[in-house]
Amino acid sequence: MLHDSKSQSWAALLDGVKCRTDLSGPIKDLVVAARQAIEKGIMRRVHSMAELGRHRTHLDQAYLDNHPDEDRETSEMYLLSMSDFFLCRDLAEELPLVASAYRLSGDPLFLDHASAQLQEMTSWSPLQRKMGDAWGVFDVWLATGTGIRAIHDTLEILPANAQIGRAHV
């Protein structure tokens, strides 16, 4: 049985299962899922409504359908902000998966992808753009927190000697 997870990091939990032969099937499945994720490429922020749907971003078509008369600037601000949220949400799932696959397999392909994605995220300032004046000051907390979680969990899972870009983790 694994130790109490409340007192262990993700990295320690992964290290604890790495050599367990009874978990070789689920570990293999995790690595396969991570390979499938990285085959999709890096998630990149887009900068206009015309770019939505590219680079693994989401276009909230339901919003457009329900707000046909809204001015373009308001729609674009909202849709780009929601795209940021969806990117951060997806990265909070995918980046720790990729980091876990690297920790379990040692395959540098996973580290390269995690490093490239983290480097891309460093250009996102802020992690979620403002939704618009009508939404007030509380409009960016969800993607910001989710994006920080993606970064934190990934860095926690990667081995201490892993090199992200040019710097050690």
Side-chain angles (χ1 to χ4, degrees):
M1 183 170 163
L2 295 176
H3 299 286
D4 179 6
S5 64
K6 292 180 184 175
S7 63
Q8 290 192 355
S9 67
W10 284 112
L13 290 169
L14 288 164
D15 289 344
V17 302
K18 187 189 288 191
C19 296
R20 292 203 27 202
T21 57
D22 61 318
L23 295 176
S24 63
I27 290 170
K28 181 181 177 187
D29 293 345
L30 182 147
V31 171
V32 167
R35 282 192 198 288
Q36 291 170 343
I38 66 174
E39 286 173 0
K40 297 175 188 174
I42 299 296
M43 294 183 214
R44 300 193 189 282
R45 172 175 273 182
V46 295
H47 301 284
S48 71
M49 217 158 81
E51 294 177 286
L52 285 169
R54 297 181 191 160
H55 309 295
R56 301 182 64 195
T57 58
H58 296 267
L59 172 60
D60 188 350
Q61 188 62 47
Y63 179 83
L64 288 174
D65 294 344
N66 291 320
H67 298 86
D69 298 326
E70 191 167 72
D71 68 273
R72 181 173 173 79
E73 183 180 341
T74 301
S75 292
E76 184 169 65
M77 189 179 295
Y78 175 81
L79 291 168
L80 290 173
S81 181
M82 287 306 297
S83 175
D84 294 346
F85 164 72
F86 287 123
L87 282 172
C88 288
R89 180 203 63 187
D90 293 349
L91 286 166
E93 294 177 10
E94 186 174 296
L95 264 177
L97 172 71
V98 171
S100 297
Y102 176 68
R103 190 169 195 100
L104 292 169
S105 72
D107 186 336
L109 185 66
F110 296 119
L111 180 60
D112 292 346
H113 180 84
S115 178
Q117 186 63 70
L118 289 168
Q119 291 292 328
E120 166 66 19
M121 290 179 77
T122 64
S123 70
W124 302 354
S125 181
L127 285 173
Q128 182 180 21
R129 292 166 279 197
K130 189 173 170 119
M131 286 185 157
D133 294 330
W135 292 87
V137 296
F138 301 108
D139 60 327
V140 297
W141 67 270
L142 190 56
T144 300
T146 306
I148 290 169
R149 187 181 128 224
I151 294 165
H152 173 270
D153 289 353
T154 301
L155 293 175
E156 178 192 4
I157 291 167
L158 289 171
N161 64 347
Q163 292 190 18
I164 300 295
R166 289 182 239 150
H168 284 287
V169 174

